């Protein structure tokens, strides 16, 4: 009896079965990732160019954030909790309060975020900030 050698086809490393599984997993991965909530940061309503907001100078409440993170209000250094209590007191007497924050350009970003977050928690409607190069 003569035996014949039968050649078996070698499976390709990139066979469609494993590629189908991989593509299915990638599709599921991107669908799940797309569903995550993205932190949008601070949502600040900006005035339109057609209708600029006119602010009375007596309604402006000024505060300064220095390069080392110190909060200066009316010439005195205060902390964030004192800042929120002063803002809440002023809001009771001045409902049209506009908070002006002067930020030193060398100040750490986290300090700026902390102060803005504290101001937003006080529900200040009119908020303005500017960068200074002191």
């Amino acid at each position: 009896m003569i035996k014949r050698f039968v050649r078996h086809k070698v499976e390709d490393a990139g066979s469609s079965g494993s590629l189908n599984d991989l593509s299915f997993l990638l599709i599921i991965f991107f669908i799940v990732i797309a569903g995550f909530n993205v932190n949008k940061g601070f949502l600040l309503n900006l005035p339109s160019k057609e209708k600029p907001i006119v602010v009375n100078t007596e309604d402006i409440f000024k505060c300064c954030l220095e390069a080392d993170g110190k909060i200066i209000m009316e010439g005195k250094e205060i902390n964030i909790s004192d800042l929120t209590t002063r803002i809440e007191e002023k809001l009771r007497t001045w409902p049209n309060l506009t908070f002006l924050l002067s930020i030193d350009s060398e100040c750490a970003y986290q300090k700026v975020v902390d102060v803005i977050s504290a101001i937003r928690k006080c529900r200040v409607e009119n908020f303005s900030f500017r960068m200074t190069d002191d």
Side-chain angles (χ1 to χ4, degrees):
M1 180 170 165
I2 301 174
K3 288 192 173 187
R4 288 185 147 174
F5 292 105
V6 180
R7 290 189 178 193
H8 296 286
K9 290 186 178 178
V10 178
E11 281 195 37
D12 187 16
S15 67
S16 64
S18 62
L19 284 179
N20 287 339
D21 293 342
L22 181 61
S23 61
F24 178 72
L25 289 174
L26 285 174
I27 290 171
I28 296 298
F29 173 75
F30 286 117
I31 289 173
V32 169
I33 293 299
F36 287 145
N37 249 349
V38 177
N39 186 2
K40 296 183 181 179
F42 294 110
L43 298 176
L44 300 175
N45 296 328
L46 300 176
S48 66
K49 290 182 180 179
E50 292 82 29
K51 292 182 175 181
I53 296 176
V54 179
V55 177
N56 190 356
T57 56
E58 293 145 7
D59 291 339
I60 296 176
F61 191 57
K62 297 179 183 177
C63 181
C64 182
L65 187 59
E66 294 185 344
D68 55 357
K70 293 179 185 175
I71 303 169
I72 306 295
M73 182 177 292
E74 298 171 351
K76 299 175 186 173
E77 181 181 348
I78 60 171
N79 58 19
I80 290 182
S81 62
D82 291 339
L83 175 69
T84 56
T85 56
R86 286 189 184 190
I87 291 173
E88 289 168 353
E89 289 171 0
K90 296 287 183 180
L91 277 173
R92 284 188 219 116
T93 57
W94 294 344
N96 295 331
L97 173 79
T98 299
F99 190 86
L100 174 62
L101 179 64
S102 298
I103 305 167
D104 191 291
S105 61
E106 298 295 319
C107 185
Y109 182 73
Q110 186 60 47
K111 293 289 185 180
V112 175
V113 170
D114 293 340
V115 172
I116 292 175
S117 176
I119 295 167
R120 298 286 295 173
K121 286 179 185 174
C122 293
R123 302 197 186 277
V124 173
E125 292 293 325
N126 300 322
F127 172 72
S128 178
F129 61 92
R130 65 179 178 173
M131 300 296 288
T132 60
D133 293 324
D134 292 338

